[in-house]
Amino acid sequence: MNEFAPVLDDGAVAIARVLANDHVADVVEALNHEPRETAIELLCAVPFERLVEIFDQPELESAPELVEALPRGRRT
């Protein structure tokens, strides 16, 4: 019934800020090296427009699984 969004620690918030501003190819490379759970948390923290840019990159590994793991509101 009650759903709780994951809470990012200070380090993850800092990483998310970098991901929001870095070159998209660098972002995809960084996400490909993160554990799935961390990648999902980071993707939840970036602006929606940036999320679209990231998922538009064919180099993003496991993109379908990452999309499925995002909260419904982030998938539209």
Side-chain angles (χ1 to χ4, degrees):
M1 308 245 189
N2 291 338
E3 293 185 32
F4 296 97
V7 176
L8 298 175
D9 63 22
D10 290 338
V13 169
I15 293 169
R17 286 186 182 136
V18 169
L19 294 181
N21 297 310
D22 233 359
H23 189 277
V24 71
D26 295 333
V27 171
V28 168
E29 184 177 348
L31 288 171
N32 286 341
H33 289 97
E34 291 295 332
R36 181 173 180 239
E37 296 77 21
T38 303
I40 292 164
E41 286 186 59
L42 294 170
L43 290 168
C44 287
V46 298
F48 183 76
E49 294 79 17
R50 186 63 166 179
L51 189 66
V52 171
E53 291 176 358
I54 292 168
F55 276 104
D56 196 36
Q57 301 301 305
E59 296 82 14
L60 182 61
E61 298 171 3
S62 305
E65 293 84 8
L66 291 171
V67 169
E68 279 297 315
L70 291 175
R72 185 176 303 267
R74 299 289 292 173
R75 293 186 235 162
T76 57

